[in-house]
Amino acid sequence: EIGGARRELTREQLHDRIEVSPDASVAVREGAPLVVAMESRALRVLEDRHDAAFDARVEGVLGDADRLGVAGARSALELVVTAGASDVAQPVIEVELPSLASLDAVARAALSRTQAVSSVSDPDRGGVLRIRLAPLRAETTVRVPLVVAWLGAGHVRGLGVVAYDAVTPTRTTTHATRVIDIGREPRDGSEVSR
């Protein structure tokens, strides 16, 4: 039942994704044992907020304003993480990747080689990349390379950041997503580094 309405699914439909409104109830009724996996995700527009014991932001703008790169090239972005007055036990950073960004093998390798990075998860369906860092000592800054491949050109929204200590996940620091420009070719006519 979804929202009180009975819904029958065939065995083939059991692997389908079913969208449910946030206020709907869901009940699964089956005579035989059945494994049900559910995922709940709430998306909201990020606003700048500083409640965590550390800050994390994406830096590395190339060229004018928010032009961050060129189609077919790699970004020259960094995730800059700065601890405040106290140590951070289990720092977690979530970065909303723009739709034109690909976290390919080269980008994953650059993240994994960074001593401060404990683990990197694949981006979820919403393009959110989760990076877990080693503990941060108070008043320290680490820089993590974010060398995604730009798949195409255009104006896209992304690079919003949520940072929190897994010990206190409700205290977050967030930086809003922004509209960025990925160009078709370098503005100065130089070669694109691929």
PDB file of all heavy atoms in Angstrom, residues 19-60:
ATOM      1  N   GLU A  19       8.526   6.213  -6.911  1.00  0.00           N
ATOM      2  CA  GLU A  19       8.539   7.520  -6.258  1.00  0.00           C
ATOM      3  C   GLU A  19       7.345   7.613  -5.311  1.00  0.00           C
ATOM      4  O   GLU A  19       6.228   7.259  -5.674  1.00  0.00           O
ATOM      5  CB  GLU A  19       8.462   8.642  -7.290  1.00  0.00           C
ATOM      6  CG  GLU A  19       9.636   8.670  -8.257  1.00  0.00           C
ATOM      7  CD  GLU A  19      10.925   9.158  -7.614  1.00  0.00           C
ATOM      8  OE1 GLU A  19      10.868   9.900  -6.616  1.00  0.00           O
ATOM      9  OE2 GLU A  19      11.991   8.786  -8.120  1.00  0.00           O
ATOM     10  N   VAL A  20       7.596   8.093  -4.114  1.00  0.00           N
ATOM     11  CA  VAL A  20       6.551   8.232  -3.107  1.00  0.00           C
ATOM     12  C   VAL A  20       6.625   9.632  -2.546  1.00  0.00           C
ATOM     13  O   VAL A  20       7.707  10.126  -2.223  1.00  0.00           O
ATOM     14  CB  VAL A  20       6.755   7.183  -1.980  1.00  0.00           C
ATOM     15  CG1 VAL A  20       5.697   7.330  -0.904  1.00  0.00           C
ATOM     16  CG2 VAL A  20       6.752   5.775  -2.551  1.00  0.00           C
ATOM     17  N   SER A  21       5.480  10.282  -2.394  1.00  0.00           N
ATOM     18  CA  SER A  21       5.484  11.642  -1.842  1.00  0.00           C
ATOM     19  C   SER A  21       5.943  11.605  -0.385  1.00  0.00           C
ATOM     20  O   SER A  21       5.768  10.595   0.305  1.00  0.00           O
ATOM     21  CB  SER A  21       4.090  12.273  -1.952  1.00  0.00           C
ATOM     22  OG  SER A  21       3.190  11.598  -1.103  1.00  0.00           O
ATOM     23  N   PRO A  22       6.531  12.687   0.100  1.00  0.00           N
ATOM     24  CA  PRO A  22       7.094  12.699   1.453  1.00  0.00           C
ATOM     25  C   PRO A  22       6.081  12.410   2.562  1.00  0.00           C
ATOM     26  O   PRO A  22       6.440  11.895   3.607  1.00  0.00           O
ATOM     27  CB  PRO A  22       7.648  14.117   1.599  1.00  0.00           C
ATOM     28  CG  PRO A  22       7.842  14.593   0.211  1.00  0.00           C
ATOM     29  CD  PRO A  22       6.794  13.918  -0.619  1.00  0.00           C
ATOM     30  N   ASP A  23       4.808  12.688   2.336  1.00  0.00           N
ATOM     31  CA  ASP A  23       3.819  12.489   3.399  1.00  0.00           C
ATOM     32  C   ASP A  23       3.063  11.163   3.275  1.00  0.00           C
ATOM     33  O   ASP A  23       2.165  10.878   4.058  1.00  0.00           O
ATOM     34  CB  ASP A  23       2.830  13.654   3.422  1.00  0.00           C
ATOM     35  CG  ASP A  23       2.088  13.809   2.096  1.00  0.00           C
ATOM     36  OD1 ASP A  23       2.563  13.269   1.077  1.00  0.00           O
ATOM     37  OD2 ASP A  23       1.051  14.484   2.087  1.00  0.00           O
ATOM     38  N   ALA A  24       3.423  10.317   2.317  1.00  0.00           N
ATOM     39  CA  ALA A  24       2.716   9.055   2.104  1.00  0.00           C
ATOM     40  C   ALA A  24       3.218   7.976   3.050  1.00  0.00           C
ATOM     41  O   ALA A  24       4.394   7.921   3.388  1.00  0.00           O
ATOM     42  CB  ALA A  24       2.889   8.596   0.656  1.00  0.00           C
ATOM     43  N   SER A  25       2.313   7.097   3.441  1.00  0.00           N
ATOM     44  CA  SER A  25       2.708   5.915   4.218  1.00  0.00           C
ATOM     45  C   SER A  25       2.934   4.772   3.241  1.00  0.00           C
ATOM     46  O   SER A  25       2.322   4.721   2.167  1.00  0.00           O
ATOM     47  CB  SER A  25       1.616   5.556   5.226  1.00  0.00           C
ATOM     48  OG  SER A  25       0.424   5.216   4.536  1.00  0.00           O
ATOM     49  N   VAL A  26       3.803   3.842   3.619  1.00  0.00           N
ATOM     50  CA  VAL A  26       4.102   2.688   2.773  1.00  0.00           C
ATOM     51  C   VAL A  26       4.000   1.441   3.632  1.00  0.00           C
ATOM     52  O   VAL A  26       4.591   1.380   4.710  1.00  0.00           O
ATOM     53  CB  VAL A  26       5.519   2.789   2.160  1.00  0.00           C
ATOM     54  CG1 VAL A  26       5.850   1.538   1.358  1.00  0.00           C
ATOM     55  CG2 VAL A  26       5.651   4.034   1.303  1.00  0.00           C
ATOM     56  N   ALA A  27       3.248   0.455   3.155  1.00  0.00           N
ATOM     57  CA  ALA A  27       3.128  -0.827   3.851  1.00  0.00           C
ATOM     58  C   ALA A  27       3.339  -1.930   2.830  1.00  0.00           C
ATOM     59  O   ALA A  27       2.798  -1.880   1.726  1.00  0.00           O
ATOM     60  CB  ALA A  27       1.753  -0.952   4.505  1.00  0.00           C
ATOM     61  N   VAL A  28       4.128  -2.940   3.195  1.00  0.00           N
ATOM     62  CA  VAL A  28       4.385  -4.080   2.316  1.00  0.00           C
ATOM     63  C   VAL A  28       3.713  -5.288   2.950  1.00  0.00           C
ATOM     64  O   VAL A  28       3.992  -5.638   4.094  1.00  0.00           O
ATOM     65  CB  VAL A  28       5.899  -4.323   2.146  1.00  0.00           C
ATOM     66  CG1 VAL A  28       6.146  -5.545   1.270  1.00  0.00           C
ATOM     67  CG2 VAL A  28       6.571  -3.093   1.574  1.00  0.00           C
ATOM     68  N   ARG A  29       2.811  -5.909   2.204  1.00  0.00           N
ATOM     69  CA  ARG A  29       2.072  -7.076   2.692  1.00  0.00           C
ATOM     70  C   ARG A  29       2.359  -8.245   1.743  1.00  0.00           C
ATOM     71  O   ARG A  29       2.051  -8.179   0.562  1.00  0.00           O
ATOM     72  CB  ARG A  29       0.589  -6.776   2.728  1.00  0.00           C
ATOM     73  CG  ARG A  29       0.281  -5.555   3.577  1.00  0.00           C
ATOM     74  CD  ARG A  29      -1.189  -5.404   3.832  1.00  0.00           C
ATOM     75  NE  ARG A  29      -1.574  -4.096   4.306  1.00  0.00           N
ATOM     76  CZ  ARG A  29      -1.228  -3.529   5.453  1.00  0.00           C
ATOM     77  NH1 ARG A  29      -0.421  -4.154   6.257  1.00  0.00           N
ATOM     78  NH2 ARG A  29      -1.653  -2.327   5.797  1.00  0.00           N
ATOM     79  N   GLU A  30       2.958  -9.303   2.287  1.00  0.00           N
ATOM     80  CA  GLU A  30       3.335 -10.463   1.479  1.00  0.00           C
ATOM     81  C   GLU A  30       3.277 -11.684   2.374  1.00  0.00           C
ATOM     82  O   GLU A  30       3.732 -11.632   3.525  1.00  0.00           O
ATOM     83  CB  GLU A  30       4.739 -10.272   0.913  1.00  0.00           C
ATOM     84  CG  GLU A  30       5.312 -11.456   0.185  1.00  0.00           C
ATOM     85  CD  GLU A  30       4.548 -11.802  -1.083  1.00  0.00           C
ATOM     86  OE1 GLU A  30       4.063 -10.881  -1.763  1.00  0.00           O
ATOM     87  OE2 GLU A  30       4.433 -12.997  -1.382  1.00  0.00           O
ATOM     88  N   GLY A  31       2.729 -12.778   1.852  1.00  0.00           N
ATOM     89  CA  GLY A  31       2.630 -14.009   2.633  1.00  0.00           C
ATOM     90  C   GLY A  31       3.976 -14.685   2.802  1.00  0.00           C
ATOM     91  O   GLY A  31       4.279 -15.234   3.856  1.00  0.00           O
ATOM     92  N   ALA A  32       4.806 -14.640   1.767  1.00  0.00           N
ATOM     93  CA  ALA A  32       6.128 -15.269   1.802  1.00  0.00           C
ATOM     94  C   ALA A  32       7.167 -14.239   2.240  1.00  0.00           C
ATOM     95  O   ALA A  32       6.951 -13.035   2.141  1.00  0.00           O
ATOM     96  CB  ALA A  32       6.469 -15.794   0.409  1.00  0.00           C
ATOM     97  N   PRO A  33       8.326 -14.706   2.739  1.00  0.00           N
ATOM     98  CA  PRO A  33       9.383 -13.749   3.107  1.00  0.00           C
ATOM     99  C   PRO A  33       9.770 -12.875   1.916  1.00  0.00           C
ATOM    100  O   PRO A  33       9.842 -13.345   0.784  1.00  0.00           O
ATOM    101  CB  PRO A  33      10.554 -14.642   3.522  1.00  0.00           C
ATOM    102  CG  PRO A  33       9.923 -15.945   3.883  1.00  0.00           C
ATOM    103  CD  PRO A  33       8.706 -16.080   3.004  1.00  0.00           C
ATOM    104  N   LEU A  34       9.987 -11.619   2.180  1.00  0.00           N
ATOM    105  CA  LEU A  34      10.299 -10.657   1.127  1.00  0.00           C
ATOM    106  C   LEU A  34      11.307  -9.656   1.674  1.00  0.00           C
ATOM    107  O   LEU A  34      11.153  -9.142   2.780  1.00  0.00           O
ATOM    108  CB  LEU A  34       9.015  -9.928   0.707  1.00  0.00           C
ATOM    109  CG  LEU A  34       9.126  -8.852  -0.356  1.00  0.00           C
ATOM    110  CD1 LEU A  34       9.501  -9.492  -1.693  1.00  0.00           C
ATOM    111  CD2 LEU A  34       7.811  -8.109  -0.484  1.00  0.00           C
ATOM    112  N   VAL A  35      12.352  -9.390   0.910  1.00  0.00           N
ATOM    113  CA  VAL A  35      13.343  -8.394   1.293  1.00  0.00           C
ATOM    114  C   VAL A  35      12.984  -7.081   0.606  1.00  0.00           C
ATOM    115  O   VAL A  35      12.821  -7.036  -0.611  1.00  0.00           O
ATOM    116  CB  VAL A  35      14.772  -8.835   0.893  1.00  0.00           C
ATOM    117  CG1 VAL A  35      15.780  -7.745   1.216  1.00  0.00           C
ATOM    118  CG2 VAL A  35      15.135 -10.130   1.602  1.00  0.00           C
ATOM    119  N   VAL A  36      12.855  -6.039   1.384  1.00  0.00           N
ATOM    120  CA  VAL A  36      12.501  -4.730   0.847  1.00  0.00           C
ATOM    121  C   VAL A  36      13.600  -3.746   1.214  1.00  0.00           C
ATOM    122  O   VAL A  36      13.975  -3.639   2.380  1.00  0.00           O
ATOM    123  CB  VAL A  36      11.151  -4.231   1.416  1.00  0.00           C
ATOM    124  CG1 VAL A  36      10.853  -2.842   0.909  1.00  0.00           C
ATOM    125  CG2 VAL A  36      10.040  -5.194   1.056  1.00  0.00           C
ATOM    126  N   ALA A  37      14.118  -3.043   0.226  1.00  0.00           N
ATOM    127  CA  ALA A  37      15.118  -2.002   0.482  1.00  0.00           C
ATOM    128  C   ALA A  37      14.469  -0.666   0.171  1.00  0.00           C
ATOM    129  O   ALA A  37      13.862  -0.485  -0.876  1.00  0.00           O
ATOM    130  CB  ALA A  37      16.342  -2.210  -0.394  1.00  0.00           C
ATOM    131  N   MET A  38      14.589   0.251   1.095  1.00  0.00           N
ATOM    132  CA  MET A  38      14.005   1.575   0.890  1.00  0.00           C
ATOM    133  C   MET A  38      15.084   2.619   1.131  1.00  0.00           C
ATOM    134  O   MET A  38      15.941   2.459   1.988  1.00  0.00           O
ATOM    135  CB  MET A  38      12.837   1.800   1.846  1.00  0.00           C
ATOM    136  CG  MET A  38      11.685   0.851   1.603  1.00  0.00           C
ATOM    137  SD  MET A  38      10.315   1.146   2.697  1.00  0.00           S
ATOM    138  CE  MET A  38       9.686   2.663   2.027  1.00  0.00           C
ATOM    139  N   GLU A  39      15.026   3.665   0.358  1.00  0.00           N
ATOM    140  CA  GLU A  39      15.954   4.774   0.525  1.00  0.00           C
ATOM    141  C   GLU A  39      15.133   6.038   0.632  1.00  0.00           C
ATOM    142  O   GLU A  39      14.206   6.265  -0.121  1.00  0.00           O
ATOM    143  CB  GLU A  39      16.879   4.873  -0.687  1.00  0.00           C
ATOM    144  CG  GLU A  39      17.795   6.062  -0.635  1.00  0.00           C
ATOM    145  CD  GLU A  39      18.658   6.175  -1.884  1.00  0.00           C
ATOM    146  OE1 GLU A  39      18.716   5.237  -2.687  1.00  0.00           O
ATOM    147  OE2 GLU A  39      19.267   7.238  -2.052  1.00  0.00           O
ATOM    148  N   SER A  40      15.483   6.820   1.601  1.00  0.00           N
ATOM    149  CA  SER A  40      14.804   8.098   1.778  1.00  0.00           C
ATOM    150  C   SER A  40      15.830   9.195   1.613  1.00  0.00           C
ATOM    151  O   SER A  40      16.920   9.128   2.187  1.00  0.00           O
ATOM    152  CB  SER A  40      14.182   8.166   3.179  1.00  0.00           C
ATOM    153  OG  SER A  40      13.619   9.427   3.390  1.00  0.00           O
ATOM    154  N   ARG A  41      15.502  10.183   0.831  1.00  0.00           N
ATOM    155  CA  ARG A  41      16.450  11.255   0.587  1.00  0.00           C
ATOM    156  C   ARG A  41      15.706  12.570   0.518  1.00  0.00           C
ATOM    157  O   ARG A  41      14.719  12.694  -0.187  1.00  0.00           O
ATOM    158  CB  ARG A  41      17.173  11.011  -0.721  1.00  0.00           C
ATOM    159  CG  ARG A  41      18.161  12.085  -1.007  1.00  0.00           C
ATOM    160  CD  ARG A  41      19.032  11.695  -2.123  1.00  0.00           C
ATOM    161  NE  ARG A  41      19.849  12.843  -2.400  1.00  0.00           N
ATOM    162  CZ  ARG A  41      20.826  12.855  -3.227  1.00  0.00           C
ATOM    163  NH1 ARG A  41      21.143  11.790  -3.864  1.00  0.00           N
ATOM    164  NH2 ARG A  41      21.512  13.940  -3.433  1.00  0.00           N
ATOM    165  N   ALA A  42      16.174  13.520   1.275  1.00  0.00           N
ATOM    166  CA  ALA A  42      15.559  14.846   1.254  1.00  0.00           C
ATOM    167  C   ALA A  42      16.555  15.811   0.640  1.00  0.00           C
ATOM    168  O   ALA A  42      17.683  15.941   1.109  1.00  0.00           O
ATOM    169  CB  ALA A  42      15.208  15.285   2.667  1.00  0.00           C
ATOM    170  N   LEU A  43      16.164  16.453  -0.428  1.00  0.00           N
ATOM    171  CA  LEU A  43      17.026  17.437  -1.074  1.00  0.00           C
ATOM    172  C   LEU A  43      16.487  18.824  -0.784  1.00  0.00           C
ATOM    173  O   LEU A  43      15.280  19.054  -0.810  1.00  0.00           O
ATOM    174  CB  LEU A  43      17.055  17.214  -2.589  1.00  0.00           C
ATOM    175  CG  LEU A  43      17.679  15.916  -3.054  1.00  0.00           C
ATOM    176  CD1 LEU A  43      17.561  15.795  -4.561  1.00  0.00           C
ATOM    177  CD2 LEU A  43      19.121  15.833  -2.629  1.00  0.00           C
ATOM    178  N   ARG A  44      17.384  19.722  -0.504  1.00  0.00           N
ATOM    179  CA  ARG A  44      16.975  21.105  -0.307  1.00  0.00           C
ATOM    180  C   ARG A  44      18.061  22.000  -0.864  1.00  0.00           C
ATOM    181  O   ARG A  44      19.213  21.594  -1.019  1.00  0.00           O
ATOM    182  CB  ARG A  44      16.708  21.422   1.154  1.00  0.00           C
ATOM    183  CG  ARG A  44      17.934  21.306   2.035  1.00  0.00           C
ATOM    184  CD  ARG A  44      17.550  21.543   3.494  1.00  0.00           C
ATOM    185  NE  ARG A  44      18.653  21.243   4.350  1.00  0.00           N
ATOM    186  CZ  ARG A  44      19.473  22.147   4.869  1.00  0.00           C
ATOM    187  NH1 ARG A  44      19.281  23.411   4.634  1.00  0.00           N
ATOM    188  NH2 ARG A  44      20.460  21.792   5.644  1.00  0.00           N
ATOM    189  N   VAL A  45      17.678  23.203  -1.164  1.00  0.00           N
ATOM    190  CA  VAL A  45      18.639  24.159  -1.687  1.00  0.00           C
ATOM    191  C   VAL A  45      19.597  24.528  -0.560  1.00  0.00           C
ATOM    192  O   VAL A  45      19.172  24.874   0.547  1.00  0.00           O
ATOM    193  CB  VAL A  45      17.919  25.409  -2.226  1.00  0.00           C
ATOM    194  CG1 VAL A  45      18.919  26.446  -2.676  1.00  0.00           C
ATOM    195  CG2 VAL A  45      16.988  25.030  -3.365  1.00  0.00           C
ATOM    196  N   LEU A  46      20.883  24.434  -0.851  1.00  0.00           N
ATOM    197  CA  LEU A  46      21.879  24.771   0.163  1.00  0.00           C
ATOM    198  C   LEU A  46      22.009  26.282   0.301  1.00  0.00           C
ATOM    199  O   LEU A  46      22.000  27.007  -0.683  1.00  0.00           O
ATOM    200  CB  LEU A  46      23.249  24.198  -0.217  1.00  0.00           C
ATOM    201  CG  LEU A  46      23.372  22.685  -0.218  1.00  0.00           C
ATOM    202  CD1 LEU A  46      24.778  22.290  -0.662  1.00  0.00           C
ATOM    203  CD2 LEU A  46      23.074  22.114   1.143  1.00  0.00           C
ATOM    204  N   GLU A  47      22.142  26.707   1.532  1.00  0.00           N
ATOM    205  CA  GLU A  47      22.445  28.101   1.841  1.00  0.00           C
ATOM    206  C   GLU A  47      23.729  28.102   2.646  1.00  0.00           C
ATOM    207  O   GLU A  47      24.052  27.127   3.313  1.00  0.00           O
ATOM    208  CB  GLU A  47      21.309  28.710   2.661  1.00  0.00           C
ATOM    209  CG  GLU A  47      19.983  28.728   1.930  1.00  0.00           C
ATOM    210  CD  GLU A  47      18.840  29.201   2.822  1.00  0.00           C
ATOM    211  OE1 GLU A  47      19.045  29.327   4.046  1.00  0.00           O
ATOM    212  OE2 GLU A  47      17.765  29.443   2.286  1.00  0.00           O
ATOM    213  N   ASP A  48      24.478  29.182   2.582  1.00  0.00           N
ATOM    214  CA  ASP A  48      25.700  29.261   3.374  1.00  0.00           C
ATOM    215  C   ASP A  48      25.342  29.224   4.852  1.00  0.00           C
ATOM    216  O   ASP A  48      24.485  29.967   5.328  1.00  0.00           O
ATOM    217  CB  ASP A  48      26.471  30.546   3.042  1.00  0.00           C
ATOM    218  CG  ASP A  48      27.105  30.490   1.657  1.00  0.00           C
ATOM    219  OD1 ASP A  48      27.185  29.390   1.088  1.00  0.00           O
ATOM    220  OD2 ASP A  48      27.515  31.540   1.152  1.00  0.00           O
ATOM    221  N   ARG A  49      25.992  28.301   5.559  1.00  0.00           N
ATOM    222  CA  ARG A  49      25.711  28.097   6.978  1.00  0.00           C
ATOM    223  C   ARG A  49      26.987  27.580   7.634  1.00  0.00           C
ATOM    224  O   ARG A  49      27.701  26.771   7.041  1.00  0.00           O
ATOM    225  CB  ARG A  49      24.584  27.073   7.092  1.00  0.00           C
ATOM    226  CG  ARG A  49      24.182  26.723   8.477  1.00  0.00           C
ATOM    227  CD  ARG A  49      22.956  25.838   8.400  1.00  0.00           C
ATOM    228  NE  ARG A  49      23.041  24.829   9.416  1.00  0.00           N
ATOM    229  CZ  ARG A  49      22.183  23.870   9.563  1.00  0.00           C
ATOM    230  NH1 ARG A  49      21.184  23.758   8.732  1.00  0.00           N
ATOM    231  NH2 ARG A  49      22.312  23.005  10.512  1.00  0.00           N
ATOM    232  N   HIS A  50      27.253  27.986   8.856  1.00  0.00           N
ATOM    233  CA  HIS A  50      28.499  27.596   9.524  1.00  0.00           C
ATOM    234  C   HIS A  50      28.226  27.117  10.942  1.00  0.00           C
ATOM    235  O   HIS A  50      28.390  27.861  11.897  1.00  0.00           O
ATOM    236  CB  HIS A  50      29.492  28.767   9.536  1.00  0.00           C
ATOM    237  CG  HIS A  50      29.817  29.270   8.176  1.00  0.00           C
ATOM    238  ND1 HIS A  50      30.703  28.632   7.351  1.00  0.00           N
ATOM    239  CD2 HIS A  50      29.340  30.307   7.467  1.00  0.00           C
ATOM    240  CE1 HIS A  50      30.776  29.272   6.201  1.00  0.00           C
ATOM    241  NE2 HIS A  50      29.947  30.295   6.247  1.00  0.00           N
ATOM    242  N   ASP A  51      27.839  25.825  11.063  1.00  0.00           N
ATOM    243  CA  ASP A  51      27.557  25.247  12.379  1.00  0.00           C
ATOM    244  C   ASP A  51      28.537  24.152  12.778  1.00  0.00           C
ATOM    245  O   ASP A  51      28.549  23.732  13.925  1.00  0.00           O
ATOM    246  CB  ASP A  51      26.139  24.663  12.411  1.00  0.00           C
ATOM    247  CG  ASP A  51      25.063  25.730  12.323  1.00  0.00           C
ATOM    248  OD1 ASP A  51      25.345  26.893  12.686  1.00  0.00           O
ATOM    249  OD2 ASP A  51      23.949  25.403  11.887  1.00  0.00           O
ATOM    250  N   ALA A  52      29.303  23.632  11.834  1.00  0.00           N
ATOM    251  CA  ALA A  52      30.246  22.554  12.143  1.00  0.00           C
ATOM    252  C   ALA A  52      31.540  23.138  12.704  1.00  0.00           C
ATOM    253  O   ALA A  52      31.786  24.344  12.629  1.00  0.00           O
ATOM    254  CB  ALA A  52      30.535  21.729  10.894  1.00  0.00           C
ATOM    255  N   ALA A  53      32.379  22.256  13.241  1.00  0.00           N
ATOM    256  CA  ALA A  53      33.656  22.676  13.830  1.00  0.00           C
ATOM    257  C   ALA A  53      34.735  22.911  12.782  1.00  0.00           C
ATOM    258  O   ALA A  53      35.881  23.153  13.111  1.00  0.00           O
ATOM    259  CB  ALA A  53      34.128  21.619  14.829  1.00  0.00           C
ATOM    260  N   PHE A  54      34.351  22.838  11.496  1.00  0.00           N
ATOM    261  CA  PHE A  54      35.321  23.062  10.424  1.00  0.00           C
ATOM    262  C   PHE A  54      34.597  23.574   9.192  1.00  0.00           C
ATOM    263  O   PHE A  54      33.375  23.551   9.105  1.00  0.00           O
ATOM    264  CB  PHE A  54      36.121  21.792  10.130  1.00  0.00           C
ATOM    265  CG  PHE A  54      35.331  20.661   9.531  1.00  0.00           C
ATOM    266  CD1 PHE A  54      35.485  20.330   8.195  1.00  0.00           C
ATOM    267  CD2 PHE A  54      34.454  19.917  10.294  1.00  0.00           C
ATOM    268  CE1 PHE A  54      34.779  19.287   7.639  1.00  0.00           C
ATOM    269  CE2 PHE A  54      33.746  18.859   9.746  1.00  0.00           C
ATOM    270  CZ  PHE A  54      33.903  18.546   8.416  1.00  0.00           C
ATOM    271  N   ASP A  55      35.381  24.048   8.229  1.00  0.00           N
ATOM    272  CA  ASP A  55      34.839  24.593   6.995  1.00  0.00           C
ATOM    273  C   ASP A  55      35.407  23.807   5.827  1.00  0.00           C
ATOM    274  O   ASP A  55      36.533  23.302   5.888  1.00  0.00           O
ATOM    275  CB  ASP A  55      35.227  26.075   6.862  1.00  0.00           C
ATOM    276  CG  ASP A  55      34.596  26.730   5.649  1.00  0.00           C
ATOM    277  OD1 ASP A  55      33.408  26.492   5.402  1.00  0.00           O
ATOM    278  OD2 ASP A  55      35.294  27.473   4.941  1.00  0.00           O
ATOM    279  N   ALA A  56      34.628  23.690   4.763  1.00  0.00           N
ATOM    280  CA  ALA A  56      35.094  23.053   3.532  1.00  0.00           C
ATOM    281  C   ALA A  56      34.475  23.806   2.369  1.00  0.00           C
ATOM    282  O   ALA A  56      33.283  24.107   2.377  1.00  0.00           O
ATOM    283  CB  ALA A  56      34.689  21.589   3.495  1.00  0.00           C
ATOM    284  N   ARG A  57      35.299  24.127   1.383  1.00  0.00           N
ATOM    285  CA  ARG A  57      34.803  24.864   0.217  1.00  0.00           C
ATOM    286  C   ARG A  57      35.620  24.453  -1.008  1.00  0.00           C
ATOM    287  O   ARG A  57      36.737  23.962  -0.887  1.00  0.00           O
ATOM    288  CB  ARG A  57      34.888  26.367   0.444  1.00  0.00           C
ATOM    289  CG  ARG A  57      36.294  26.881   0.590  1.00  0.00           C
ATOM    290  CD  ARG A  57      36.359  28.312   1.131  1.00  0.00           C
ATOM    291  NE  ARG A  57      37.727  28.705   1.354  1.00  0.00           N
ATOM    292  CZ  ARG A  57      38.489  28.310   2.352  1.00  0.00           C
ATOM    293  NH1 ARG A  57      38.019  27.493   3.254  1.00  0.00           N
ATOM    294  NH2 ARG A  57      39.729  28.725   2.474  1.00  0.00           N
ATOM    295  N   VAL A  58      35.023  24.674  -2.179  1.00  0.00           N
ATOM    296  CA  VAL A  58      35.705  24.363  -3.431  1.00  0.00           C
ATOM    297  C   VAL A  58      36.342  25.645  -3.945  1.00  0.00           C
ATOM    298  O   VAL A  58      35.687  26.680  -4.017  1.00  0.00           O
ATOM    299  CB  VAL A  58      34.719  23.792  -4.474  1.00  0.00           C
ATOM    300  CG1 VAL A  58      35.411  23.580  -5.811  1.00  0.00           C
ATOM    301  CG2 VAL A  58      34.111  22.492  -3.980  1.00  0.00           C
ATOM    302  N   GLU A  59      37.626  25.567  -4.277  1.00  0.00           N
ATOM    303  CA  GLU A  59      38.360  26.706  -4.837  1.00  0.00           C
ATOM    304  C   GLU A  59      38.992  26.293  -6.157  1.00  0.00           C
ATOM    305  O   GLU A  59      39.141  25.115  -6.440  1.00  0.00           O
ATOM    306  CB  GLU A  59      39.459  27.178  -3.881  1.00  0.00           C
ATOM    307  CG  GLU A  59      38.955  27.805  -2.623  1.00  0.00           C
ATOM    308  CD  GLU A  59      40.070  28.352  -1.748  1.00  0.00           C
ATOM    309  OE1 GLU A  59      41.264  28.114  -2.053  1.00  0.00           O
ATOM    310  OE2 GLU A  59      39.755  29.015  -0.758  1.00  0.00           O
ATOM    311  N   GLY A  60      39.391  27.293  -6.930  1.00  0.00           N
ATOM    312  CA  GLY A  60      40.133  27.012  -8.158  1.00  0.00           C
ATOM    313  C   GLY A  60      39.519  27.588  -9.403  1.00  0.00           C
ATOM    314  O   GLY A  60      39.636  27.000 -10.462  1.00  0.00           O
TER     315      GLY A  60
END
